[in-house]
Amino acid sequence: MKKIFLLFAVILSFTAFSQIKVLKNETLVEIGKDNSVGLYKKDNRYTFNYQDINNSNLNTFRSFSFIDMNGDVMGLYKMISDGFIDEPSGNISLELPNDIIELHFEKNYGQPTMQFIQYINKNKKYVGKSQFLNKKQVDKIFGVGTSKAALYNKPVKQQTAVNTQPATPVQQTYTQPNTPAAQPAKKPIRKRK
């Protein structure tokens, strides 16, 4: 009886351990990071991580992500860079699949800066804010001027084919091999009497 109980306990313990499943760890490629704001990539999805300064707990990190379909990452970089040159009158709002992001531009000590403001799950009650970033920090986050800038998917440009032949249409004729079925039937020749 003790042996049966021991065997049952061993089988039960193996069954209990089989419930633990090892998950595949997703690896993100870091494109750029400065202080508490970073940009990461996995396949065609880009993720911004930042420390939320709007929360009293400074250990709160938030993120937002989107898929780069038509050069959206470089479009975002250009939008931010243009905001440093000509400061917009208000915040620039961007709607992502899960969140609303606002680009807030402000001069701090005479230097143009920007800040990400995230409305989490598109709800105006839950707001996350990144630190203020200057142009140099934004360049570092986007990996501009580094080898990591090559990680961006460049939109496919339509290439025009160079045609060195004349523009007249070319007709091709296909001939079949000389087989009896392929030759036209000959009329029998009648002789006169």
Side-chain angles (χ1 to χ4, degrees):
M1 182 71 179
K2 289 182 183 179
K3 291 180 183 179
I4 292 175
F5 181 70
L6 184 61
L7 180 65
F8 182 69
V10 169
I11 291 173
L12 186 62
S13 67
F14 282 127
T15 311
F17 285 120
S18 67
Q19 293 176 2
I20 297 174
K21 183 176 162 183
V22 177
L23 297 176
K24 184 178 177 184
N25 190 8
E26 292 185 9
T27 57
L28 297 174
V29 177
E30 180 181 300
I31 292 179
K33 184 177 181 183
D34 188 74
N35 291 337
S36 62
V37 180
L39 175 60
Y40 302 91
K41 177 185 179 188
K42 181 182 186 306
D43 296 331
N44 205 19
R45 177 178 286 285
Y46 289 86
T47 302
F48 281 90
N49 287 339
Y50 65 94
Q51 185 178 13
D52 187 3
I53 64 168
N54 198 36
N55 196 335
S56 60
N57 181 2
L58 292 179
N59 291 328
T60 303
F61 284 84
R62 302 208 186 272
S63 67
F64 59 91
S65 60
F66 57 92
I67 296 175
D68 184 25
M69 298 179 84
N70 296 318
D72 294 332
V73 175
M74 290 313 295
L76 177 61
Y77 173 74
K78 183 175 179 350
M79 197 180 308
I80 293 171
S81 296
D82 291 346
F84 285 128
I85 296 168
D86 185 24
E87 186 178 321
S89 58
N91 292 348
I92 299 173
S93 295
L94 307 169
E95 184 174 359
L96 301 179
N98 298 324
D99 305 305
I100 295 175
I101 302 299
E102 286 188 354
L103 306 177
H104 175 71
F105 292 91
E106 187 176 302
K107 287 198 176 186
N108 288 326
Y109 300 107
Q111 182 180 16
T113 59
M114 68 82 53
Q115 175 185 45
F116 291 109
I117 301 174
Q118 177 185 12
Y119 296 106
I120 302 159
N121 294 327
K122 298 182 181 180
N123 190 341
K124 299 275 185 178
K125 289 181 183 178
Y126 304 107
V127 180
K129 294 182 179 182
S130 73
Q131 71 179 43
F132 280 94
L133 304 167
N134 61 27
K135 173 78 167 119
K136 186 177 178 182
Q137 291 171 316
V138 169
D139 288 347
K140 187 175 178 183
I141 291 167
F142 279 88
V144 175
T146 65
S147 62
K148 301 222 177 177
L151 294 172
Y152 295 120
N153 294 339
K154 301 208 171 26
V156 178
K157 295 180 182 177
Q158 300 236 345
Q159 296 179 356
T160 57
V162 178
N163 191 358
T164 57
Q165 297 178 351
T168 59
V170 177
Q171 294 181 342
Q172 294 180 342
T173 56
Y174 295 98
T175 59
Q176 295 180 346
N178 290 333
T179 60
Q183 295 176 352
K186 294 183 181 180
K187 291 183 183 180
I189 299 175
R190 294 186 184 175
K191 295 183 182 180
R192 285 188 175 193
K193 292 188 183 178

